[in-house]
Amino acid sequence: MPRQLRAEEAYRSDACASVTSLEEAIRHVERVRSLSIRTRPLRALGDTSVCGLLLVEGQRCTIFHAPASSAIHRLQCLLHELGHLLLRHDLLAQSTPTLARFLPDVRLEVGDRLFGRADLSDGDEIEAERLADLLAAGIRQRPQHPIGLEEFLG
């Protein structure tokens, strides 16, 4: 199945269409994957091309994100990493230990896995971004959750 269709299938089969906010998206992924997820800004990412890191420690995940320039950018970065979890990329892909340089205060234990975008044209990255786009579109179309330009323009 083509990757775009896999993202769309994950969106439908995991009942993502009911997600109406970032917080709800996090809770949804926690339920679907039986994980505990937390998000943390990471200043070390601020001047890099890496906007998010996913640290998987057993059943606990931390999504580190760059201090975002806007609410929309932060939303997209976090949804992208949630997309990887929904698509189960963390179970199939190789960890990227060189990214540990961004987390000098975090001690990686045996079995911990760290993921981050190394290649924008990688199939997993494209697939996660497509799923993030679908989630974001659903969130932005909810009038009770303004997240688009109306947030800045009123």
Side-chain angles (χ1 to χ4, degrees):
M1 176 181 297
R3 287 187 180 271
Q4 181 175 345
L5 294 179
R6 281 193 51 204
E8 291 169 4
E9 177 60 29
Y11 182 79
R12 281 191 300 277
S13 67
D14 287 334
C16 295
S18 64
V19 169
T20 61
S21 69
L22 174 60
E23 294 76 21
E24 205 172 295
I26 292 169
R27 287 193 308 271
H28 179 76
V29 177
E30 286 177 328
R31 277 192 310 274
V32 169
R33 289 290 311 275
S34 299
L35 297 169
S36 171
I37 300 170
R38 63 185 180 157
T39 65
R40 299 280 184 263
L42 184 60
R43 199 164 273 180
L45 298 177
D47 295 327
T48 72
S49 64
V50 178
C51 68
L53 296 175
L54 174 61
L55 176 61
V56 180
E57 304 166 283
Q59 294 305 110
R60 292 180 303 143
C61 296
T62 304
I63 300 173
F64 296 96
H65 60 87
S69 58
S70 70
I72 294 172
H73 185 246
R74 177 179 175 273
L75 175 68
Q76 192 68 22
C77 289
L78 293 172
L79 291 177
H80 176 91
E81 299 305 331
L82 292 172
H84 281 300
L85 290 170
L86 281 171
L87 292 161
R88 294 164 171 73
H89 291 160
D90 59 299
L91 300 176
L92 306 171
Q94 292 293 319
S95 181
T96 314
T98 58
L99 294 171
R101 71 184 184 277
F102 293 115
L103 304 171
D105 299 330
V106 175
R107 184 165 182 234
L108 296 177
E109 302 291 334
V110 174
D112 291 351
R113 295 177 321 279
L114 182 62
F115 303 94
R117 190 180 313 201
D119 180 1
L120 295 175
S121 63
D122 176 73
D124 284 356
E125 295 301 324
I126 293 168
E127 192 173 49
E129 194 65 23
R130 175 66 180 143
L131 185 49
D133 288 345
L134 292 168
L135 289 165
I139 291 169
R140 284 193 305 267
Q141 73 183 5
R142 306 296 195 284
Q144 69 272 28
H145 296 285
I147 193 71
L149 292 177
E150 63 273 8
E151 181 176 341
F152 303 102
L153 302 176

